[in-house]
Amino acid sequence: MKSMEEVLRDWEAVIGLEVHCELTKLETKMFCGCKLEFGAEPNTHTCPVCLGLPGALPVPNKAAIENIVLAGLATNCDIEKHTMFYRKGYMYPDMAKNFQTTQGPKAFCMRGWLDLDVDGRGASERYNLEELAEGEQVENITRTADGYRAHVGIERIHMEEDAGKMIHVGGAEGRIEGAKESLVDYNRAGTPLIELVTKPDLRTPEEARLFMQKLRQIFLAIGISDCSMEEGSLRADGNISLRRRGTTQLGTKTELKNINSFKSLHDGLAYEICRQAEVLEEGGIIYQETRHWDPSAKRTIVMRVKETADDYRMFPDPDLAPYDLSDEFIERVRAKLPELPDQKAARFKESFGLSSYDARHLVEHRATTAFFEDCMALPECKPEFAKPLANLLINDIAARLNNGEQIDANVLTPARMVALVGMLAADELSSKQGKEVLQAILDEDADPAAIVEARGMKQVSDTGALEAIVDEVLAANPDKVEAYRGGKTGLLGFFVGQCMKATRGQGNPKLINQLLTSKLG
């Protein structure tokens, strides 16, 4: 099978996402008073409404409607004032009512968009973008001063209820194939769920991953969900087709169902691109089908074939009146919008002089964002501390959080971090020593000054003392000095290393570098 890079020279991928997000911050389900609680004993949070018993009538959750309007406003959607709920025929054991309450052609939120700063990551899989000048646009992607920006349209965000959970005992990875028995837990049935459907504007697996990551940041910022992909409160379906470069007609799409991690989203789409290209280049046919991404086998597997469009026999729900949202209601919800990640990144650039890269990555984690602001708010934190502080948070703390490590807020306090950053800004510590002190703070629950004192780590930045050491090193290596001046400038690293050795690793490498460059001419 060809690599994706090889495939994308001849083929263009067309990708759309359907993102499902449970509104886990609510206390009760969408149409009844049952408690929302992940991990509760099976079938302990059910009632006649979510079990679909005869005569049970639904009562909409007003807070859930506020949440979906909030999500729409945060993603630049138009809020539809007049909409309604529909019944969608759903004959499967995990929906006891045999229908799902959802929305029809007109959802609460329509015609939105998000912009992605792909920064070369998703753009590297595009085609000939390096030929674009700043400000030029190809399809939905524009060259910017910092990289590339992709404009991704959002068709709609609609409200529906989640189904229960099927447990297939004995099946491989919980699937029904080979299972000895199937159990169903209705605790999740009726959970308020919003589904965001993008336009087919994504062209690479990396763009799809960046979209999901940005959407998760937004939903966390507005506080509508915990967005836990591990627990299933945020998941995605990916629709993908291929077409020859230069053509506009869409190919037959396949759907990757229930993807629950950013890596699986990227890898599943990448595999499917290569698989479809191989089938088409061998003269085969792509069938409209639903597929499952198996991360252990690193391939997609057919779940079911869709020969024709699904017939859900949808019709307006007779038990739920149409919605008429007032301007006052919409504006009241709009007033609850917090500062969104893009706005926060722009403020960090403006207020603290951070680069676009640093500002964008700093807002990827709510924990690092809040910690950065707490640090910068301290009286002893100077404006020039912003850059080294951002570096530590992005490269060290965020990496630990990504690996699942817990950071004790009582150990790594803003005051301790600012003290450490102050030493770095004053060239009292090298960046390598700064990482060592940060690790020691976490391991020993100690102040940075005490750690530096106990380990004798303070960096030597005395120009006179370092100049004497530089002179000694050059005098001891006349042959290498001559070679350097003869053109072997790579020997600079050797001289720096000898000077650092002479200072037992405590010399200021930046100052040593400057002195050596000056003396070597």
Side-chain angles (χ1 to χ4, degrees):
M1 188 180 291
K2 290 182 179 178
S3 69
M4 187 169 60
E5 183 179 351
E6 292 173 316
V7 167
L8 292 180
R9 291 173 188 162
D10 302 317
W11 298 91
E12 182 179 50
V14 179
I15 301 170
L17 296 180
E18 299 171 12
V19 183
H20 307 262
C21 180
E22 291 180 350
L23 304 181
T24 57
K25 295 300 183 179
L26 301 177
E27 294 183 3
T28 58
K29 295 184 181 181
M30 184 63 217
F31 297 110
C32 65
C34 290
K35 184 179 179 181
L36 293 179
E37 181 185 9
F38 179 81
E41 284 294 314
N43 298 307
T44 54
H45 297 321
T46 61
C47 72
V49 174
C50 50
L51 291 178
L53 299 184
L57 294 176
V59 177
N61 187 332
K62 181 182 178 182
I65 307 300
E66 292 181 352
N67 277 2
I68 191 172
V69 172
L70 199 61
L73 294 171
T75 53
N76 307 293
C77 288
D78 296 331
I79 307 303
E80 293 289 347
K81 296 179 183 179
H82 309 292
T83 183
M84 65 179 64
F85 282 104
Y86 280 65
R87 289 187 179 184
K88 174 181 176 181
Y90 191 100
M91 303 292 289
Y92 208 69
D94 58 5
M95 185 63 78
K97 300 187 299 185
N98 287 332
F99 67 85
Q100 182 185 37
T101 306
T102 183
Q103 289 196 277
K106 188 184 290 187
F108 282 110
C109 312
M110 303 288 290
R111 301 171 296 278
W113 54 268
L114 286 180
D115 282 342
L116 305 178
D117 290 315
V118 294
D119 193 26
R121 293 179 290 172
S124 64
E125 299 163 352
R126 288 265 189 166
Y127 192 70
N128 288 340
L129 287 183
E130 63 275 5
E131 298 177 1
L132 287 180
E134 185 176 337
E136 281 192 301
Q137 181 176 343
V138 172
E139 288 188 334
N140 66 325
I141 196 162
T142 306
R143 182 73 177 262
T144 67
D146 302 311
Y148 302 92
R149 178 170 297 125
H151 185 81
V152 182
I154 296 170
E155 291 273 6
R156 57 193 276 130
I157 308 176
H158 63 263
M159 173 72 73
E160 60 188 25
E161 57 181 340
D162 210 348
K165 181 179 180 180
M166 294 290 292
I167 301 168
H168 304 294
V169 181
E173 295 188 2
R175 297 201 300 274
I176 195 169
E177 297 87 354
K180 296 180 180 179
E181 58 182 346
S182 294
L183 307 176
V184 62
D185 176 10
Y186 287 112
N187 281 348
R188 194 175 66 182
T191 296
L193 180 76
I194 63 174
E195 180 177 343
L196 181 149
V197 181
T198 75
K199 292 185 177 180
D201 289 343
L202 300 161
R203 292 292 177 269
T204 73
E206 186 62 20
E207 287 176 16
R209 171 159 57 186
L210 291 173
F211 183 90
M212 275 290 288
Q213 288 174 331
K214 182 164 189 174
L215 192 64
R216 183 176 185 272
Q217 292 169 21
I218 291 172
F219 287 171
L220 286 171
I222 62 178
I224 63 173
S225 175
D226 58 20
C227 294
S228 172
M229 299 189 80
E230 297 83 4
E231 296 179 359
S233 56
L234 183 69
R235 52 194 189 269
D237 301 337
N239 295 295
I240 181 167
S241 65
L242 293 188
R243 63 187 176 194
R244 285 286 184 183
R245 289 207 170 273
T247 63
T248 57
Q249 185 175 354
L250 294 174
T252 302
K253 70 178 181 180
T254 61
E255 180 183 30
L256 297 185
K257 200 75 174 171
N258 285 332
I259 301 172
N260 62 357
S261 77
F262 299 128
K263 178 173 172 52
S264 290
L265 179 64
H266 177 278
D267 293 352
L269 291 172
Y271 176 89
E272 193 60 16
I273 287 173
C274 297
R275 185 196 70 84
Q276 288 190 21
E278 183 176 59
V279 171
L280 292 170
E281 288 175 357
E282 291 177 353
I285 299 173
I286 299 299
Y287 295 98
Q288 185 176 341
E289 58 192 10
T290 300
R291 301 179 72 90
H292 163 74
W293 168 247
D294 186 338
S296 58
K298 299 188 184 306
R299 63 190 181 94
T300 60
I301 301 167
V302 177
M303 293 173 64
R304 58 182 179 270
V305 176
K306 294 184 177 180
E307 296 183 356
T308 58
D310 291 313
D311 181 12
Y312 291 118
R313 296 169 296 152
M314 292 180 64
F315 62 93
D317 193 313
D319 291 335
L320 292 165
Y323 268 84
D324 292 300
L325 302 182
S326 66
D327 291 331
E328 292 77 13
F329 175 84
I330 295 171
E331 291 308 309
R332 191 163 63 248
V333 175
R334 191 189 304 275
K336 296 180 180 181
L337 274 176
E339 186 179 39
L340 297 174
D342 279 357
Q343 297 168 334
K344 197 176 289 288
R347 177 168 61 83
F348 285 174
K349 287 177 61 178
E350 177 70 23
S351 301
F352 305 119
L354 296 179
S355 67
S356 297
Y357 176 91
D358 287 345
R360 187 168 66 250
H361 283 76
L362 198 55
V363 301
E364 286 184 353
H365 286 279
R366 296 176 73 197
T368 54
T369 306
F371 192 79
F372 175 81
E373 294 192 281
D374 289 343
C375 289
M376 295 304 298
L378 293 177
E380 61 268 30
C381 189
K382 301 177 181 178
E384 60 266 27
F385 289 8
K387 174 61 178 175
L389 174 59
N391 286 343
L392 282 175
L393 290 175
I394 294 168
N395 298 322
D396 293 271
I397 301 303
R400 295 167 186 268
L401 294 173
N402 286 335
N403 290 329
E405 185 175 337
Q406 297 295 317
I407 305 295
D408 190 338
N410 295 318
V411 173
L412 186 64
T413 62
R416 283 178 171 175
M417 182 63 94
V418 169
L420 171 58
V421 171
M423 294 180 187
L424 290 168
D427 280 337
E428 295 176 6
L429 293 176
S430 66
S431 58
K432 181 179 179 181
Q433 289 174 320
K435 293 177 183 292
E436 186 179 340
V437 173
L438 178 60
Q439 184 63 56
I441 293 172
L442 296 171
D443 291 342
E444 302 171 17
D445 190 8
D447 290 330
I451 294 168
V452 170
E453 182 69 26
R455 301 189 182 192
M457 295 175 66
K458 200 161 187 179
Q459 183 168 263
V460 177
S461 295
D462 185 318
T463 303
L466 290 178
E467 188 171 11
I469 291 171
V470 167
D471 289 339
E472 290 177 9
V473 168
L474 295 180
N477 297 277
D479 54 332
K480 288 185 170 57
V481 171
E482 186 177 350
Y484 178 92
R485 289 172 175 160
K488 293 186 177 180
T489 55
L491 286 168
L492 183 63
F494 166 79
F495 293 124
V496 172
Q498 292 299 303
C499 293
M500 292 300 294
K501 183 178 180 181
T503 61
R504 296 182 180 180
Q506 293 179 246
N508 183 331
K510 183 179 178 181
L511 186 53
I512 288 172
N513 220 300
Q514 292 172 351
L515 291 169
L516 282 167
T517 303
S518 174
K519 289 181 179 291
L520 288 167

